[in-house]
Amino acid sequence: MKRAKIFKKSLACLSAAATLLSGGIMTSANAAVITEGKENNYHNFAEALQLALCFYDANKCGDEVADDGYYSWRSNCHVIDSEIPLQPMNPMPTVGKGKSDDQLKEDQGLGQGDSGKPKTNLGDDDPELYVGVNMSEKFIEANKKFLDPDGNGTLDLTGGWHDAGDHVKFGLPGSYSASTVGWGYYEFRESYEDLGLQKHVEDELRWINDYFMKATFLDDDGNVVAYCYQVGEGNNDHNYWCPPELQQDNTMVASSSCAVKRPAYFATTEMPASDQCAGASASLAINYLNFKDTDPEYADECLKYAKALYDFAVETHVEEWKPGMVPSNSSLGYDGGFYTSSYDYDELAWAAVWLYYCTENYDYIDDIIAVDDSKPISDSGSYDADAQTGQQPSYAYTGYMKRIITDTGNCWQNIWVHCWDTVWGGVFAKLAPITNTARDWYIFRYNLEFWSGCSKTTDCSAWGYEPVHSHKYFGRDDYLWNMPMTCDKIPDLPDSETSGDFIAKSPNGWAVVSGYGSARYNTAAGLCACVYAKTTGDDTFLPWAKAQMEYILGKNPMGYAYEVGYESNFASHPHHRSSHCSATQSMDDPIVQVHTLWGALVGGPDLKDVHVDETKDYIYNEVTDDYNAGFCGDLAGLYHYYGAKGKEYEKENYVIEDFDMSGNAIGYDQVDENGDPLPVGYFVSGGKAQEKADGIQLKLVLHNRTINPPRFECDVKARYYFNIQELIDEGYGIDYITARIDYDQEAGYTNNESHATLSDPVKYDDKGTYYVDVTWKDCKFYGSRVYQFALTTKMDPDKNIYPEWDSSNDYSYPDLVSFEDQNSASAITDKVTLYADDKLIWGTEPDGTTASKSSETPSSNGTATTTNKSSGGTTTTKTTSNIDKTTDSSYGDANCDGTVDMSDVVLIMQALSNPNKYGINGSDKNHLTAKGQSNADCDLATPGMSTGDALAIQKYLLKMVASLPIK
């Protein structure tokens, strides 16, 4: 995108562009926020957890988001999910099949995420594709009374969470995230309660689990008829880079629509998705445990749905299997190639283990660990039961465990981690204390040893913790499956002499299983480490988990946290459409993201400790529900062990009091490519061309950058002021001015279905000033719209001449830049005013009347400043600073215009950040002067001009301090 090269007026004098500034901030399109001289607190797990929960508020979907009360910049979105047509898709998607072990070596737990569309442009131009549901007419007809009880032919599937920076409600990562956030709350509830975060986490858990129940359709007997696990289609959704509020029909974002088709994918008997049903069941079961003591009626409802979904998952599970062989799975949900499930056995086990905790019905555990011990599948004949020597007979697993361990002659080493596709890590964390077998404790512990350890020859001096260097030896595989063992016996076990595998570590000790979103896996492993410590009383892996979290919070070679908004140094360019809030559907525009996506865990660094903080780099900077899920639990656990009262870092742990989620962190000032302030809301830029003695060609650009929240309401008019006094002096009137319409971008983009209109000239005063209005009425666009027209004189028929008219002395002329050579050129100007409902929302009128509030909301904030009337006309009251007679300094008046306002703040920041242009010897004609530099030094606690002076002026303007200077 090309922006105006010239920015002549200080737009920060309008509150639309005003933000509080902080000292020493450096940020760019490819750099995190770094505050010089300030180091992060690497141990404030409390604040990090407080922020981490906020991510889920940014990803809420539905028709109740506006009433949710967490973020002002999020509002209702995808309300079309309330009217999904109950009609079969064409073509119908296929049922998913699981992955082989060879495939799992390549892509276990990875998936496309937001990396792009696996099937490029599929469905973009096909009006029939991605519409409706994956149900046949026969199925719909047979179950219509349960699916569509009101008979309106549509389904209401509003609610839930967007998956990531995109807007699809994907099934597996959604249920994994909900269950894992719930798991962390279940294990470390006291952490949330101690920090006052109980209500927030419970709000999140209710939001998503309520959606799972809403998306589950039961028959009269309480059995599942259908469960909707996905709304939206990645292959279509990923075409657009815009906030979710803007994905509406019959609207335009920049030059194209962001309207997307929102199909619904269901698990049914004809289209099974046993993995999806089991995942949601697990989340609802955990939700039962989290609410059973405080809201038993609600908890019982969650448990009812958890049981029904689990039973349906079992019923619709399809496999090919022979005892002693690895089964293949063919009843998995559709995902469009973005989150392809490996199999459903782990989700089934995840649901079953939690249903046991809810009911204490051991049948659920048998579903996981059952063995057919009636007949061996192999027997060497060397087993001596009395001497406990030789090879035992092997029996086939028949429970879900058969997918990872075919028979009792084998065991399994989990080298992956608890994640959206593979939840075995969580399964064994909760299974081991129930079965108390050597097998389950071994699998649970081995995974943590693998993640935290290294060989004895590895240089780990820079890691910040002492890793383990070996694995505990629990015994032979064929003995482990039914060998009783309690966790208190583990520390006394010998080290293995043969097992020495550990996960790859960066030079600074960062554990990496995948370079794509490394932090999500790391923090999930950290949660497992905290749960292990809680369950066993063994804190072996806590130092590792703490060191990894310190790394995330900024103790790393990059020097900043991988949690957005944390402390003074952090990644600030997450791959997230809503926080970026582009008006042009470009990941490069704006340069600085509009909103702080508080608490979002970005993808993280690679094996070289390198990270790229760039919006479009999804490998390093994607943010998703599943990234933050383990992160929350990990932080809650670390606070419990290190940050709570009486713990090592008690004094370093605290939450932000009176935290305003909607406010931005440091480093989020909106600027253009030159570092100049860039307003938000509604504003105008303009250009000029074809300047002749008898007229001028003009270009007005209306900008809609509403951000709190972004929206399409556009019924405004721009007013261009011009003066014809020289014509009047020659005996001509306004009837000698004629208008020519040259270009209407809105009409072109909409095939003239909507357009702007140009008014006739209107008299403004008796000094020859007139104006014309360009009105955009009922034009639903976000971004900008160009309107070009010409004002010229018409021929005097008596003299056969075109009267001369000097347009250069017009009120609205001075800020305009030529677009003769560069058609896209325009400059932001406050001398072209904007109105909504005839109220001034942008700019300054010729008599000095100025829009007093942000142009963010025309309907509510578009009021004009009250003016003081005098015999000489209308003037606007200005704020003047205290003048120190001794030093002859007008404190705060950096631009020496006799007033103190936000333009002085902007000039100070410009001079500090770009002295060659705006400093005392700067190239810009409005650069700082020596007198201005003296005036700017109004924070006497810090000698010399600094960002502290800019902050002091803003406090003064906001009446936070009575006068300047501040001593």
Side-chain angles (χ1 to χ4, degrees):
M1 171 193 171
K2 286 274 190 180
R3 274 206 193 85
K5 296 295 184 182
I6 299 178
F7 180 61
K8 294 193 174 183
K9 292 296 293 182
S10 174
L11 300 170
C13 63
L14 297 168
S15 59
T19 52
L20 284 176
L21 307 170
S22 295
I25 306 302
M26 297 188 303
T27 183
S28 74
N30 298 301
V33 169
I34 302 291
T35 306
E36 293 180 347
K38 277 195 173 183
E39 196 174 78
N40 281 3
N41 175 357
Y42 307 128
H43 305 118
N44 194 352
F45 310 126
E47 178 189 333
L49 177 58
Q50 177 188 28
L51 300 183
L53 287 172
C54 300
F55 176 74
Y56 294 102
D57 297 299
N59 268 32
K60 286 176 177 173
C61 179
D63 55 1
E64 297 180 0
V65 179
D67 300 323
D68 190 50
Y70 283 100
Y71 273 122
S72 66
W73 48 270
R74 284 300 330 282
S75 189
N76 295 344
C77 64
H78 301 117
V79 294
I80 57 173
D81 289 356
S82 66
E83 297 180 343
I84 292 177
L86 188 56
Q87 67 183 53
M89 292 181 187
N90 182 25
M92 194 72 74
T94 58
V95 176
K97 296 185 178 181
K99 300 175 183 177
S100 67
D101 285 343
D102 288 339
Q103 289 173 316
L104 292 180
K105 293 176 183 178
E106 300 296 326
D107 60 4
Q108 182 177 19
L110 296 179
Q112 290 283 341
D114 202 20
S115 60
K117 300 178 295 178
K119 301 175 183 177
T120 305
N121 295 325
L122 181 62
D124 293 358
D125 304 313
D126 187 342
E128 301 300 323
L129 196 60
Y130 303 140
V131 175
V133 297
N134 62 331
M135 301 177 190
S136 67
E137 282 285 9
K138 181 179 179 181
F139 184 88
I140 292 172
E141 193 59 35
N143 295 282
K144 200 165 187 177
K145 63 176 290 191
F146 308 118
L147 297 169
D148 185 20
D150 62 6
N152 69 353
T154 65
L155 300 171
D156 180 3
L157 292 165
T158 52
W161 288 336
H162 300 140
D163 169 59
D166 60 357
H167 306 132
V168 182
K169 294 184 282 196
F170 282 113
L172 272 191
S175 62
Y176 161 82
S177 302
S179 64
T180 302
V181 172
W183 180 27
Y185 184 43
Y186 172 80
E187 298 289 357
F188 300 107
R189 189 186 191 103
E190 287 185 359
S191 294
Y192 286 92
E193 293 174 344
D194 188 32
L195 296 171
L197 300 176
Q198 182 178 10
K199 181 183 184 301
H200 197 173
V201 70
E202 289 188 356
D203 284 353
E204 308 299 349
L205 294 173
R206 282 182 184 269
W207 182 279
I208 189 61
N209 285 286
D210 287 356
Y211 175 71
F212 291 153
M213 290 188 281
K214 181 179 185 178
T216 305
F217 296 78
L218 305 178
D219 64 17
D220 294 334
D221 298 321
N223 299 313
V224 173
V225 172
Y227 164 63
C228 180
Y229 57 84
Q230 179 175 322
V231 177
E233 170 55 53
N235 286 297
N236 186 261
D237 179 272
H238 287 201
N239 285 312
Y240 309 105
W241 186 262
C242 67
E245 291 82 1
L246 303 182
Q247 286 195 321
Q248 299 180 28
D249 292 334
N250 303 315
T251 59
M252 301 279 281
V253 178
S255 60
S256 65
S257 172
C258 275
V260 294
K261 301 166 187 176
R262 302 279 289 181
Y265 296 90
F266 284 82
T268 63
T269 51
E270 68 172 1
M271 296 288 282
S274 45
D275 54 341
Q276 306 281 357
C277 294
S281 172
S283 179
L284 288 162
I286 297 171
N287 215 42
Y288 162 80
L289 294 170
N290 282 328
F291 285 94
K292 67 182 180 68
D293 295 329
T294 56
D295 192 345
E297 185 176 344
Y298 173 68
D300 287 343
E301 188 77 355
C302 291
L303 183 57
K304 180 184 80 172
Y305 277 86
K307 289 179 177 178
L309 281 165
Y310 177 76
D311 291 342
F312 190 66
V314 173
E315 175 192 345
T316 54
H317 166 78
V318 179
E319 67 180 17
E320 290 185 12
W321 172 70
K322 292 181 180 179
M325 304 297 290
V326 176
S328 62
N329 192 196
S330 57
S331 54
L332 307 178
Y334 170 88
D335 70 300
F338 292 86
Y339 290 96
T340 304
S341 181
S342 296
Y343 44 72
D344 66 0
Y345 298 92
D346 56 327
E347 281 86 21
L348 286 163
W350 185 230
V353 73
W354 283 110
L355 285 168
Y356 169 79
Y357 278 93
C358 295
T359 65
E360 296 187 0
N361 182 346
Y362 206 83
D363 289 346
Y364 288 115
I365 301 302
D366 282 337
D367 287 350
I368 304 171
I369 67 172
V371 172
D372 180 4
D373 58 2
S374 63
K375 181 181 179 182
I377 59 172
S378 64
D379 185 0
S380 66
S382 63
Y383 175 61
D384 185 330
D386 294 330
Q388 291 286 296
T389 58
Q391 180 69 42
Q392 291 196 75
S394 296
Y395 303 99
Y397 279 104
T398 58
Y400 307 134
M401 203 174 285
K402 65 189 176 189
R403 182 57 185 80
I404 53 174
I405 314 174
T406 57
D407 59 79
T408 61
N410 297 286
C411 198
W412 184 57
Q413 296 175 342
N414 184 10
I415 61 173
W416 196 249
V417 72
H418 186 71
C419 73
W420 67 266
D421 181 38
T422 308
V423 290
W424 288 120
V427 169
F428 283 98
K430 301 311 296 177
L431 185 63
I434 299 171
T435 62
N436 276 314
T437 62
R439 174 200 60 209
D440 298 341
W441 284 116
Y442 167 68
I443 295 173
F444 184 12
R445 183 181 173 99
Y446 183 95
N447 184 246
L448 295 171
E449 292 168 339
F450 178 78
W451 270 83
S452 65
C454 66
S455 69
K456 295 179 181 178
T457 59
T458 301
D459 180 9
C460 54
S461 57
W463 292 8
Y465 68 97
E466 182 58 37
V468 298
H469 297 293
S470 61
H471 294 276
K472 288 291 186 182
Y473 180 68
F474 282 70
R476 278 174 27 188
D477 287 352
D478 59 323
Y479 280 83
L480 296 183
W481 72 281
N482 64 353
M483 180 188 296
M485 178 177 287
T486 53
C487 60
D488 58 307
K489 302 294 191 296
I490 297 175
D492 296 329
L493 293 174
D495 291 339
S496 172
E497 296 180 0
T498 58
S499 179
D501 293 333
F502 302 98
I503 201 169
K505 307 287 197 306
S506 74
N508 282 70
W510 178 248
V512 179
V513 72
S514 167
Y516 185 174
S518 62
R520 59 173 152 172
Y521 305 113
N522 191 294
T523 52
L527 169 59
C528 290
C530 291
V531 172
Y532 184 87
K534 177 189 173 185
T535 307
T536 66
D538 181 355
D539 61 3
T540 297
F541 307 109
L542 287 179
W544 170 80
K546 177 174 73 70
Q548 299 293 282
M549 189 58 72
E550 291 168 348
Y551 186 107
I552 288 173
L553 298 183
K555 192 177 182 180
N556 58 61
M558 299 301 294
Y560 55 82
Y562 297 120
E563 181 181 25
V564 176
Y566 180 76
E567 296 278 329
S568 302
N569 310 283
F570 52 86
S572 63
H573 294 81
H575 187 77
H576 196 269
R577 291 158 176 79
S578 190
S579 65
H580 187 236
C581 201
S582 175
T584 58
Q585 293 206 54
S586 169
M587 297 184 199
D588 296 321
D589 175 39
I591 296 170
V592 178
Q593 295 213 353
V594 173
H595 304 293
T596 302
L597 192 64
W598 293 104
L601 180 68
V602 301
D606 55 27
L607 260 177
K608 297 180 180 179
D609 293 305
V610 171
H611 176 261
V612 177
D613 186 39
E614 188 173 339
T615 299
K616 61 188 175 184
D617 197 323
Y618 57 85
I619 297 295
Y620 289 102
N621 253 29
E622 186 169 22
V623 288
T624 77
D625 297 337
D626 68 283
Y627 284 25
N628 266 55
F631 186 42
C632 287
D634 192 4
L635 286 165
L638 291 172
Y639 173 81
H640 172 78
Y641 286 109
Y642 292 102
K645 187 175 181 180
K647 302 297 183 179
E648 181 180 357
Y649 299 114
E650 175 188 352
K651 293 182 179 180
E652 295 181 49
N653 273 263
Y654 44 82
V655 295
I656 303 172
E657 296 295 335
D658 301 319
F659 177 50
D660 177 14
M661 285 171 54
S662 298
N664 274 343
I666 54 176
Y668 276 78
D669 300 307
Q670 289 295 290
V671 296
D672 67 12
E673 59 195 10
N674 299 320
D676 291 318
L678 181 65
V680 295
Y682 284 92
F683 58 96
V684 183
S685 61
K688 59 186 178 179
Q690 299 178 9
E691 293 186 81
K692 299 178 181 179
D694 60 350
I696 186 173
Q697 184 184 29
L698 300 164
K699 174 172 68 175
L700 299 185
V701 185
L702 171 64
H703 299 266
N704 173 5
R705 285 194 73 213
T706 52
I707 61 171
N708 278 303
R711 57 198 173 278
F712 290 112
E713 60 175 22
C714 190
D715 191 354
V716 299
K717 58 185 176 183
R719 182 165 294 173
Y720 185 88
Y721 298 90
F722 60 98
N723 189 281
I724 63 165
Q725 188 60 48
E726 58 269 28
L727 287 177
I728 295 173
D729 293 343
E730 294 296 323
Y732 298 102
I734 191 62
D735 56 319
Y736 269 83
I737 294 292
T738 185
R740 181 188 76 234
I741 299 172
D742 294 335
Y743 177 59
D744 182 354
Q745 192 176 61
E746 172 68 10
Y749 281 165
T750 65
N751 197 25
N752 211 37
E753 290 183 8
S754 59
H755 56 84
T757 58
L758 180 66
S759 76
D760 291 330
V762 178
K763 185 176 181 180
Y764 179 76
D765 60 23
D766 294 330
K767 300 177 181 179
T769 304
Y770 286 77
Y771 63 80
V772 290
D773 287 334
V774 178
T775 302
W776 287 266
K777 187 174 178 60
D778 300 324
C779 301
K780 293 185 177 181
F781 70 84
Y782 191 83
S784 62
R785 284 295 181 269
V786 177
Y787 191 83
Q788 290 180 196
F789 64 100
L791 294 176
T792 63
T793 60
K794 61 184 179 181
M795 180 180 288
D796 180 342
D798 296 331
K799 298 180 180 180
N800 202 29
I801 63 170
Y802 289 92
E804 292 189 1
W805 162 47
D806 183 9
S807 59
S808 66
N809 63 6
D810 294 343
Y811 174 78
S812 296
Y813 176 90
D815 295 338
L816 305 182
V817 294
S818 173
F819 62 93
E820 294 270 14
D821 299 323
Q822 184 179 343
N823 189 55
S824 62
S826 68
I828 300 171
T829 174
D830 64 348
K831 293 185 182 299
V832 176
T833 50
L834 271 181
Y835 302 84
D837 298 328
D838 290 322
K839 294 179 180 179
L840 180 63
I841 63 169
W842 167 265
T844 302
E845 295 176 339
D847 67 0
T849 302
T850 300
S852 64
K853 294 186 178 181
S854 168
S855 63
E856 170 64 21
T857 51
S859 59
S860 60
N861 288 344
T863 56
T865 301
T866 301
T867 59
N868 294 330
K869 301 279 185 177
S870 67
S871 59
T874 304
T875 58
T876 302
T877 302
K878 300 278 189 175
T879 302
T880 56
S881 65
N882 297 347
I883 298 178
D884 187 318
K885 301 299 182 181
T886 303
T887 61
D888 195 29
S889 289
S890 300
Y891 283 112
D893 186 15
N895 60 9
C896 300
D897 65 353
T899 66
V900 177
D901 54 30
M902 284 299 298
S903 63
D904 299 300
V905 174
V906 172
L907 183 57
I908 292 172
M909 295 304 295
Q910 289 175 327
L912 291 171
S913 62
N914 192 352
N916 290 333
K917 184 175 181 180
Y918 297 107
I920 288 181
N921 298 312
S923 59
D924 190 90
K925 70 175 184 179
N926 295 315
H927 67 81
L928 189 73
T929 64
K931 173 65 173 174
Q933 186 178 54
S934 175
N935 292 345
D937 186 15
C938 54
D939 179 5
L940 302 186
T942 305
M945 190 180 73
S946 69
T947 55
D949 299 310
L951 184 59
I953 295 171
Q954 290 179 93
K955 288 181 177 180
Y956 171 63
L957 294 173
L958 294 171
K959 295 181 170 42
M960 296 170 66
V961 296
S963 62
L964 294 176
I966 296 176
K967 299 180 181 179

